Amino acid sequence: MLYLLFFYFKLARVNKKEEVLTPLVGICHVGAFIAAVLLYRYGFTHYSATVVGVASLLFFIMAALNVTAVQLGIFKDGKPLLGITRLYQFMPVISGVLLAYAIAVSL
């Protein structure tokens, strides 16, 4: 779930630079932040700080490279296969999944 968390925050950062912040996106950001706090609380209570830190760094790098690849474009026969605006549509879904998982784990 850490990968999905970093993927969401990287998308949110790119979205902030390109789009206007709507109330729905703001609510999704708050939900993702709450999920991040809950996931890190779980991680630090069940694993060592070194493991959580190394995993966070690797997942952050992977998420940044994936979003950058989508920004540059993934093309098939000269047509974009997946665009960044398509990923923006899934931000509320990603935020909801993160929040549901974080709440389930923290119980």
Side-chain angles (χ1 to χ4, degrees), residues 73-89:
I74 300 171
F75 295 96
K76 182 177 181 180
D77 297 329
K79 296 179 183 176
L81 185 64
L82 180 68
I84 195 77
T85 55
R86 186 88 165 140
L87 290 178
Y88 291 155
Q89 295 172 352

Side-chain angles (χ1 to χ4, degrees), residues 6-7 9 18 20 33 46 48 52 55 63 77 85 89 99 107:
F6 286 122
F7 188 75
F9 282 125
E18 295 179 2
V20 176
F33 176 75
H46 289 81
S48 69
V52 174
D77 297 329
T85 55
Q89 295 172 352
L99 192 57
L107 291 178

Side-chain angles (χ1 to χ4, degrees), residues 36-107:
V37 170
L38 291 175
L39 283 173
Y40 272 105
R41 191 189 85 190
Y42 173 80
F44 282 121
T45 56
H46 289 81
Y47 301 100
S48 69
T50 307
V51 171
V52 174
V54 169
S56 296
L57 178 67
L58 293 176
F59 285 136
F60 174 75
I61 292 170
M62 285 173 39
L65 289 174
N66 282 343
V67 171
T68 303
V70 171
Q71 281 180 309
L72 292 176
I74 300 171
F75 295 96
K76 182 177 181 180
D77 297 329
K79 296 179 183 176
L81 185 64
L82 180 68
I84 195 77
T85 55
R86 186 88 165 140
L87 290 178
Y88 291 155
Q89 295 172 352
F90 290 107
M91 285 179 67
V93 175
I94 294 172
S95 176
V97 167
L98 280 171
L99 192 57
Y101 182 79
I103 289 172
V105 166
S106 66
L107 291 178

Side-chain angles (χ1 to χ4, degrees), residues 10-20 71 88:
K10 180 66 177 173
L11 272 179
R13 184 172 170 258
V14 172
N15 188 14
K16 186 179 104 176
K17 290 182 179 180
E18 295 179 2
E19 306 283 333
V20 176
Q71 281 180 309
Y88 291 155

